[in-house]
């Protein structure tokens, strides 16, 4: 090894010698603020010691927008020995420095890389008083350090620190300095001018200088020349800069776009912005004398937090004129249209478009490829980017950025896929996709219950383009099924047909509707928001229903769905939600909770009013709002001094139950245009109105005081800010900062507070928040059941992560939440953003839940013994994360959540580099992580529930739908779920199967659509009674929308059962809609499924939705409840049943076929084969009563054994 190390070291040194010099990477260790931007060599060496050579020979500097200093017109200073600096006070026009990064050129000679660095500058003298002696030090560093191959060189000889004696300046005598130069004369001509000069006296405790520090002198006796300005109206001004009308008065008002009077606005001429003419009063009015009517000069106004606006002057009379100036709120840039992902082949061209708005309107756009800024001169882009003659290097992500004086914003990234014409985008060979077979279909050749039906890869094709330079492509093409083959699966006693994907190809993509459904109700008692207004951004799109339900169709190309709920009855606070949705189509269910508006209290406008914030029992308020006297105004600016009705509703994060009622998603846009998270310490909504007229009131500057003792993280004290919610974008925008203050309470107690100020105008929802940059991602997956098969993952599940803050003394019992995030699972699970910490594993914890269609999924148990294989996270990392399910200590609690420590992974520890927590910059690794990597898990609790489709379809991914006559769902845009309620009288729970075949359509008659198995559920209120909600295929049009098929449905309990009752309404309906199926077999029930959507009176439950799982969940909830509009998870077997069967308990010792198959599959299958020949007793098929014309139709049905004999499940059946 020493020899090898020596060879490697020699190669490194020779490589450096051969080089002609090398530029370092770009460094950015400081950000503009305070005095400016400083990228000094000393600071860069401190952070990146091994990446900078000892003696750089050159330096380059650019802004982070990739512009040179001279291009942005800024004054900067930089050299290779000291580094870079930009001072704000040196910039022209009062501008501030941009954010710069620098790089250095290192010489090729290795000797310049090795040994000591240059000595740093001497430190300041240790003594500062005049006439004293002290010491100075300076330091240097050895560059043969660790971190590269050069670490093998010997250490540098000598010392790294030097000291010397220093003397301070002798104490000066108190005497004046020389006089400075005279200032310019205050007048350029005429009399009365003055000029000034100054001198200074050194500070000294011993003596003072005698005399004055300044002198004034008269100046400029030159006569002024005559003014040559000609005025059509009025006379020239004294300085001859314009025309004035001394007897004319300009009257004006300043108001907002909403009509609110604006006080304290600066009024000036548009061409002379520094010359203040007037300020608006509390009514927004101003008066200016001397401005002529009909003047071509525009009057301008500017006010804090508003954009400058101009207005022309209109004459009212010979002596007065009028101007109205309308100001618009400064609005941070926001994206209206994001660039669209596209697919092209080599040699084609493409155009990406981006549209960003704001006040003022952003004018400069930047485009990035894979995060690197593209050169504007090379690509000549504006709001759109055009790429020609594409090659493989052009592939990747593209996003735009726009900036204004208010801020910046970045669009979401669009993906460009560049395809080689010789390599097909869509492979004809399908991928493996396994479906689970029924329990009596064990496959000997694969030794499993799974069968590969194949699926086409999730890929997009280029397609045919009429114009490749459009912002949006016309028709998208995807890799989809081109051909399917029918195969037979041999089961115990019957053959099961199945269709498999045989060939894939490119075709127009399927675009199902994207929906968000849910219910809006009160957070305290569940009272629904009845007929509440729903806004999408600023546009009203509809109302909630009587039960608070709503459905929102997501507009195409939406990246961020911002929805506002407004209660017209004023019971609830206006609530803004940012909903996650499944971009591939289908519906996502959201349970929206609303904060009840606080009962109003009376305030006296002429007195100081204090309103507490926070009402958690046994806790001090988080803070308070202090409203000074005379702070209330009407919208027209008139002061209001009467009784004020005030409603202040505070959402306290110390109560974890309030998290569901929080508005927005606690994000803001930082200075670089990136979405950045906030950690909240409380939100409050404020409403003020007049007692008599109920008209809304506004306030001037009020004070918000926050108790600093409640902030447990010290760095949060300096970063705490006040924020207001922009209801159109759902983003929080900064209102102001806090300043520390101490207040004495009593003789000895002194409390620390944070004080901030805000004005309550249009926006009424505020936040006490801290930006937090300690971020990670958490990987979560959802599964069909607790077997956690990789091919049985659930998509469209809403995973919610709530960040919790442990309180001192109770690290395992967090009480306060800080933020929340929700993400919808895709094919590879979900990655949720979260706060995390690398120092303390329990500095941040999280509470994670999963819901689908209103159903809560179950988390993996953590007691009585923690099973890493089930949780999905290996040891020892799992112990560090402290995984606990919600019922860990109390079995009576729900099992639908888990809590973990958000310990940031240590990249030097191999046990922590494979998930489930990923560093924030590793989002791509989290999203692409294989199913074998660590992840947390949820699963659906389904006891013996099974679904089989002849044409495979993954209900959580609507793009897997295939148009086929035997498809269970005939239309991918609308899914109709049908259920029949079957009551079972018997001491056990029994499996009930529905067998669904074509009934009346000539293309499908007698062919199997699919099977459904469902176990009956006990009715806890009725002895020996259970019921099953069994899905069957609805009758209706098939996928070609040509003819209706009445599905032939057979309901078969899997036990020693016989039919005892049929719902009279259902029997009557079937009799009135022939043909009617004869039911000679009392162990089953067969019908041609109704075409009409019958209700609970028939025992049939039908729900139509754009999401199949949501339709089924709603139908099951109604079936359990036995009503047509209710929802329950407790089975009520006495209500809304269609069929009743009575089942007998098996003899003691005789297990069911399913139990025997699970325990001894080989022995059971052998026994079944042996008994199939001799003991088989076949019944005749069910018959169909003729149509009135005499037409008679016969359908094959499964054969059954008599209930009295020994029953064997899976007997021979008619081939499909």
């Amino acid at each position: 090894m020493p020899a090898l190390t020596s060879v490697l070291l020699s190669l490194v040194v020779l490589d450096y010698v051969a080089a002609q010099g090398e530029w370092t990477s770009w460094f950015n260790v400081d950000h503009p603020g305070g005095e400016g931007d400083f990228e000094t060599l000393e600071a860069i060496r401190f952070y990146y010691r091994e990446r900078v050579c000892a003696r750089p020979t050159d330096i380059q500097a650019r802004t982070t927008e990739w512009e040179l200093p001279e291009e942005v017109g800024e004054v900067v200073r930089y050299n290779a020995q000291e580094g870079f600096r930009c001072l704000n006070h040196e910039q022209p026009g009062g501008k501030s420095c941009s954010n710069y990064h620098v790089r250095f050129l290192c010489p090729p000679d290795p000797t310049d890389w090795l040994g000591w660095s240059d000595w740093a500058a001497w430190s300041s003298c240790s003594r500062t008083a005049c006439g004293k002696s002290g010491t100075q030090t300076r330091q240097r560093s050895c560059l043969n350090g660790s971190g590269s191959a050069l670490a093998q060189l010997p250490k540098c000889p000598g010392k790294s620190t030097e000291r010397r004696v220093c003397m301070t300046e002798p104490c000066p005598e108190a005497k004046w300095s020389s006089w400075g130069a005279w200032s310019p004369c205050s007048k350029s001509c005429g009399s009365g001018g003055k000029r000034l000069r100054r001198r200074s006296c050194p500070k000294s405790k011993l003596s003072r200088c005698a005399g004055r520090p300044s002198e004034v002198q008269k100046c400029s006796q030159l006569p002024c020349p005559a003014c040559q300005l000609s005025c059509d109206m009025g006379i020239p001004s004294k300085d001859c800069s314009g025309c004035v009308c001394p007897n004319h008065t300009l009257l004006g008002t300043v108001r907002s776009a909403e009509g609110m009077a604006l006080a304290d606005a600066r009024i000036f001429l548009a061409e002379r912005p520094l010359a203040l003419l007037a300020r608006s009063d509390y009514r927004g009015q101003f008066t200016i004398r001397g401005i002529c009517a009909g003047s071509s000069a525009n009057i301008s106004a500017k006010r804090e937090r508003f954009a400058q606006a101009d207005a022309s002057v209109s004459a009212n009379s010979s002596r007065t004129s009028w101007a109205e100036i309308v100001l618009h709120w400064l609005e941070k840039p926001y994206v209206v249209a994001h660039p669209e992902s596209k697919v092209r082949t080599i040699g084609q061209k493409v155009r990406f478009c981006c549209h960003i708005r704001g006040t003022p309107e952003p004018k400069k756009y930047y485009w990035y490829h894979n995060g690197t800024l593209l050169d504007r001169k090379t690509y000549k882009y504006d709001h759109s980017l055009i790429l020609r003659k594409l090659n493989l290097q052009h592939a990747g992500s593209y996003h735009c950025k726009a900036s204004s004086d208010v801020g910046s914003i970045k669009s979401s990234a669009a993906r460009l896929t560049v395809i080689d014409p010789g390599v097909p985008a869509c492979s004809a060979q399908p991928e493996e996709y396994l479906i689970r077979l029924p329990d009596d279909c064990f496959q000997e050749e694969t030794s499993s219950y799974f069968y590969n039906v194949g699926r086409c890869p999730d890929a997009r094709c280029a397609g045919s383009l009429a114009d490749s330079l459009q912002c949006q492509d016309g028709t998208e093409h995807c890799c989809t099924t081109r051909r399917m083959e029918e195969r037979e699966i041999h089961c115990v006693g019957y053959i099961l047909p199945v269709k498999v994907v045989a060939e894939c190809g490119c075709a127009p993509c399927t675009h199902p509707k994207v929906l968000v459904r849910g219910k809006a109700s009160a957070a305290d008692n569940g009272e629904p928001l009845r007929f509440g207004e729903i806004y999408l951004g600023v546009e009203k799109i509809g109302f909630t229903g009587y039960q608070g339900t709503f459905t929102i169709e997501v507009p195409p190309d939406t990246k961020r769905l911002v929805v506002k709920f407004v209660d017209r009855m004023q019971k609830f606070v206006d609530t803004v939600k940012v909903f996650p949705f499944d971009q591939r189509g289908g519906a996502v269910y959201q349970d929206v909770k609303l904060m009840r508006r606080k009962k109003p209290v009376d305030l006296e406008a002429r007195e100081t009013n204090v309103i507490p914030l926070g009402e958690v029992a046994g806790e001090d308020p988080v803070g308070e709002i202090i409203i000074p006297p005379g702070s209330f105004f009407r919208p027209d600016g008139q002061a209001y001094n009467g009784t004020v009705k005030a409603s202040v509703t505070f959402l306290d994060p110390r109560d974890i139950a309030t998290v569901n009622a929080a508005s927005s998603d606690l994000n803001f846009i930082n200075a670089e245009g990136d979405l950045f998270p906030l950690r909240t310490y409380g939100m409050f909504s404020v409403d003020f109105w007049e007692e008599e007229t109920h008209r809304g009131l506004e306030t001037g500057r009020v004070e918000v005081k926050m108790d600093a003792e409640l902030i447990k993280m010290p760095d949060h004290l300096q970063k705490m800010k006040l924020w207001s919610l922009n209801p159109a974008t759902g983003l929080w925008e900064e209102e102001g900062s806090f300043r520390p203050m101490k207040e004495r309470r009593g003789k000895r107690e002194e409390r620390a507070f944070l004080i901030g100020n805000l004005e309550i105008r249009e926006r009424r929802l505020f936040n006490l928040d801290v930006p937090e940059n300690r971020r990670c991602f958490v990987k979560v997956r959802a599964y069909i059941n607790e077997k956690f098969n990789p091919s049985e993952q659930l998509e469209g599940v809403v995973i919610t992560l709530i960040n919790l803050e442990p309180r001192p003394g109770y690290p395992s019992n967090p009480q306060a939440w800080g933020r929340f995030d929700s993400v919808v699972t895709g094919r590879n699970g979900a990655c949720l953003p979260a706060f995390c910490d690398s120092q303390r594993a329990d500095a941040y914890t999280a509470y994670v839940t999963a819901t689908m269609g209103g159903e809560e999924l179950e988390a993996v148990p953590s007691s009585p013994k923690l099973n890493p294989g089930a949780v999905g996270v290996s040891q020892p990392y799992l112990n560090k994360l402290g995984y606990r399910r919600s019922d860990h200590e109390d079995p009576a609690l729900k099992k639908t959540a888990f809590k973990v420590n958000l310990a940031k992974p240590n990249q030097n520890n191999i046990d922590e580099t494979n998930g489930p927590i990923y560093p924030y910059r590793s989002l791509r690794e989290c999203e692409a992580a294989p199913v074998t990597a660590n992840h947390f898990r949820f699963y659906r609790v389904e006891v013996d529930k099974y679904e089989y489709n002849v044409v495979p379809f993954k209900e959580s991914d609507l793009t897997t739908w295939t148009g086929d006559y035997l498809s269970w769902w005939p239309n991918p845009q609308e899914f109709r779920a049908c259920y029949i309620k079957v009551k079972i009288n018997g001491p056990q729970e029994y499996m009930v199967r529905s067998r669904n075949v074509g009934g009346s359509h000539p293309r499908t008659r007698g062919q199997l659509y699919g099977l459904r198995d469902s176990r009956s559920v006990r009715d806890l209120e009725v002895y020996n009674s259970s019921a099953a909600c069994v899905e069957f295929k609805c009758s209706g049009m098939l996928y070609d929308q040509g003819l209706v098929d009445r599905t032939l449905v057979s309901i078969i309990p899997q036990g020693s059962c016989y039919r005892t009752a049929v719902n009279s309404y259902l029997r009557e309906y079937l009799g009135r809609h022939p043909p009617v199926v004869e039911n000679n077999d009392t162990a089953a029930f067969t019908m041609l499924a109704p075409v009409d959507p019958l209700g609970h009176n028939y025992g049939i439950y039908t729900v139509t939705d754009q999401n199949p799982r949501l339709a089924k969940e709603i139908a099951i909830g109604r079936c359990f409840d036995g009503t047509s509009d209710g929802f329950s998870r407790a089975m009520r077997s006495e209500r809304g049943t269609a069929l009743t069967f009575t089942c007998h308990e098996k003899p003691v010792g005789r297990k069911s076929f399913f139990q025997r198959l699970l325990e001894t599959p080989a022995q059971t299958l052998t026994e079944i084969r042996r008994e199939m020949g001799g003991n088989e007793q076949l019944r005749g098929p069910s018959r169909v009563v003729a149509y009135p014309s005499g037409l008679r139709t016969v359908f094959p049905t499964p054969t059954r054994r008599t209930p009295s004999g020994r029953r064997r499940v899976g007997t021979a059946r008619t081939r499909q």
Side-chain angles (χ1 to χ4, degrees), residues 1061-1076:
V1062 177
N1063 184 296
S1064 58
Y1065 290 106
L1066 178 61
R1067 185 190 299 112
E1068 180 185 354
Y1069 176 91
L1070 296 176
R1072 288 188 288 105
H1073 295 80
V1076 179

Side-chain angles (χ1 to χ4, degrees), residues 865-929:
K865 185 178 180 180
L866 188 63
N867 182 356
V871 175
V873 181
S874 59
Q875 293 286 22
Y877 197 22
L878 182 59
N879 281 340
K880 184 177 180 180
L881 299 178
Y883 179 91
R884 293 289 185 271
R885 195 168 71 174
S886 47
D887 66 339
H888 182 79
E889 296 178 350
D890 186 356
L893 296 178
K894 284 186 175 183
K895 306 173 183 179
T896 54
F898 66 83
K899 182 179 74 68
V900 289
N901 298 327
L902 294 173
K904 187 175 183 179
N906 179 1
Q907 298 303 302
N908 296 321
N909 186 344
I910 193 171
D911 294 324
E912 301 181 12
T913 58
N914 194 33
I917 299 181
Y918 294 82
Y920 188 73
R921 297 189 182 277
S922 300
L923 173 59
R924 186 167 297 178
E925 288 84 348
C926 179
E927 292 178 334

Side-chain angles (χ1 to χ4, degrees), residues 113-116 141-146 150-157:
W113 282 79
L114 310 179
W116 291 107
S141 57
C142 180
L143 302 179
N144 303 347
S146 60
L150 296 178
Q152 306 300 324
L153 295 176
K155 293 185 177 179
C156 304

